[in-house]
Amino acid sequence: MKAELEDFNKGIEAFEISRAEEVELFRLKYLSKKGELNDLFEKFKLVPLNVKKEMGQLLNLIKQKAENKWQEAKAEFDIKTNEIKISEIDSSLPSELSYTGSRHPLKIIENEVIEIFNKLGFVYSEGPEIEDDWHNFSALNFPANHPARDMQDTFFINGDIALRTHTSSVQVRLMEKGKPPIRAIMPGRVYRNEAISARANCFFHQVEGIYIDKRVSFADLKQTLFYFINELFGKDVKIRFRPSYFPFTEPSAEMDISCLLCSGKGCNVCKHTGWLEILGCGMIDPNVLASNKIDAEEYSGFAFGMGIERIAMLKFDIKDLRTYFNNDIRFLSQFESL
Ligand code: PHE
């Protein structure tokens, strides 16, 4: 064993490391798992007890020596390689273009909508996506057996708890917290139990708004939405209101805009009607105000709600809802400059 240790010692002393590659060769020959040092440790297990101590000390000594030599050489050649690399850099070359991400088209539209309503004094407000029956339905005047509460539309979690089906639930939270005047806009994700297709998804995004104050009228609602549409789609777009029904507004209406593609003449997109449905709205039902402890004699208000996916589809000419959520970089990178 002693002779082998001495051979090993001579070997490492004689090994000349003059190039970066030789640092690794040295490690492989002596220090790696299959290297000579490991063999010596294997053999050391069989050394007779009377010389075990002496051999052990020697073995540790040369192990240390081999490791030191390797570490020193490694440090030296690492520095040299770096030096070469630095000198090889051509600082006159143009730099690589750094990749910048883009905003999601839904976020672009949501931000635009928020900004327009901010100018009219509507403040941003949010609420939870997991809601209770009171905030999503009861406080909004949904009768107990209203079909919207049905399992087909709503994702129930357990008992009274469900994924919100609209952001009107945030209106309730605002009414119960604050005193009029209340003027707020509430964007957010909502969920409905629908089969996924090009035109429907089990979740989507809404922006809803409310304004409650003394003497708020339907004329205020019209003017507010007219201003909004002109800001979003331009001055030439016309609006019209059709009577509709929502449990929480009375009277209720759906608002259409003149078709952006054919300017009202009739085309495939507007199904030859010249109009595109864009949002639901109405005067807040006095029952809703009363449920939220707002005096309906003193105050009135309006509410409206729209789907962001639909607006983005019209603005960016997107044909299939599913493209929003596929995370296809070819789709998303088209919005880089917006
Ligand atoms: N909450 C309604 C929906 O989700 C939209 C709406 C909001 C309608 C406010 C009227 C007033 O369809």
Side-chain angles (χ1 to χ4, degrees):
M1 177 85 198
K2 193 161 185 175
E4 279 169 331
L5 289 177
E6 274 165 9
D7 278 352
F8 181 87
N9 190 29
K10 276 186 202 142
I12 55 172
E13 274 177 5
F15 196 111
E16 262 192 54
I17 305 181
S18 51
R19 288 180 300 129
E21 299 85 73
E22 284 162 356
V23 179
E24 182 58 5
L25 289 179
F26 181 87
R27 190 189 68 82
L28 288 173
K29 184 163 164 49
Y30 297 111
L31 299 171
S32 68
K33 267 216 169 112
K34 291 185 179 153
E36 290 180 17
L37 196 63
N38 236 5
D39 291 346
L40 289 177
F41 271 96
E42 284 304 313
K43 284 184 185 148
F44 175 69
K45 287 181 191 160
L46 309 171
V47 159
L49 267 183
N50 57 344
V51 285
K52 202 147 199 162
K53 191 172 172 201
E54 188 195 349
M55 291 303 134
Q57 281 171 346
L58 257 176
L59 183 56
N60 274 329
L61 216 68
I62 55 171
K63 176 186 172 208
Q64 203 53 55
K65 201 163 154 182
E67 268 176 2
N68 287 349
K69 180 162 177 156
W70 177 67
Q71 287 291 359
E72 278 165 24
K74 192 166 166 303
E76 183 186 347
F77 282 99
D78 272 357
I79 292 168
K80 281 196 179 145
T81 355
N82 283 342
E83 274 169 6
I84 295 165
K85 274 192 197 137
I86 290 165
S87 68
E88 276 173 356
I89 293 174
D90 179 353
S91 56
S92 66
L93 282 174
S95 61
E96 267 178 47
L97 281 181
S98 59
Y99 176 74
T100 46
S102 54
R103 267 187 225 291
H104 193 278
L106 295 178
K107 216 48 196 174
I108 295 171
I109 296 296
E110 189 186 288
N111 287 345
E112 229 176 291
V113 173
I114 293 169
E115 219 172 278
I116 296 170
F117 280 103
N118 270 347
K119 285 196 239 168
L120 293 174
F122 285 75
V123 295
Y124 178 96
S125 186
E126 336 177 276
E129 290 182 19
I130 298 175
E131 263 301 3
D132 49 34
D133 178 272
W134 172 256
H135 290 95
N136 199 78
F137 296 124
S138 297
L140 288 162
N141 201 32
F142 278 82
N145 54 359
H146 194 279
R149 294 178 179 221
D150 199 287
M151 293 296 277
Q152 277 168 4
D153 289 317
T154 309
F155 287 113
F156 284 98
I157 295 175
N158 68 47
D160 257 10
I161 308 296
L163 294 177
R164 68 178 175 195
T165 58
H166 50 185
T167 51
S168 306
S169 53
V170 188
Q171 303 184 14
V172 178
R173 291 185 176 273
L174 279 176
M175 286 188 265
E176 65 191 8
K177 243 185 10 210
K179 276 189 120 279
I182 300 172
R183 189 160 28 178
I185 190 104
M186 30 258 152
R189 183 174 285 189
V190 302
Y191 301 82
R192 289 185 199 176
N193 194 355
E194 296 208 22
I196 298 168
S197 71
R199 305 190 62 80
N201 199 3
C202 54
F203 66 86
F204 59 99
H205 298 78
Q206 282 191 327
V207 177
E208 294 209 1
I210 48 165
Y211 177 36
I212 305 172
D213 204 346
K214 288 177 181 156
R215 287 186 297 278
V216 174
S217 70
F218 203 96
D220 297 319
L221 168 63
K222 265 176 146 175
Q223 188 54 42
T224 304
L225 293 178
F226 189 51
Y227 171 83
F228 163 66
I229 291 299
N230 284 164
E231 287 286 300
L232 191 66
F233 291 113
K235 291 272 175 261
D236 299 332
V237 177
K238 296 191 193 72
I239 59 170
R240 77 171 183 189
F241 290 81
R242 279 178 291 107
S244 185
Y245 170 77
F246 299 103
F248 36 91
T249 47
E250 180 59 35
S252 303
E254 264 164 295
M255 193 180 88
D256 299 337
I257 58 170
S258 52
C259 179
L260 302 168
L261 278 183
C262 64
S263 313
K265 288 185 203 79
C267 67
N268 280 340
V269 172
C270 60
K271 299 194 191 94
H272 302 283
T273 62
W275 295 96
L276 300 164
E277 187 189 318
I278 202 97
L279 54 80
C281 58
M283 300 306 292
I284 300 174
D285 194 301
N287 284 344
V288 174
L289 295 175
S291 295
N292 292 290
K293 306 197 173 53
I294 292 175
D295 184 354
E297 297 289 319
E298 196 179 355
Y299 293 103
S300 56
F302 64 69
F304 56 87
M306 66 195 95
I308 296 296
E309 275 81 348
R310 178 157 173 76
I311 295 179
M313 274 175 138
L314 292 172
K315 264 212 133 169
F316 301 130
D317 195 18
I318 294 168
K319 300 272 185 308
D320 189 328
L321 257 180
R322 291 167 292 197
T323 46
Y324 288 128
F325 309 111
N326 287 344
N327 277 343
D328 187 331
I329 207 90
R330 291 168 303 177
F331 170 73
L332 296 173
S333 62
Q334 295 176 64
F335 303 94
E336 253 165 43
S337 58
L338 299 174

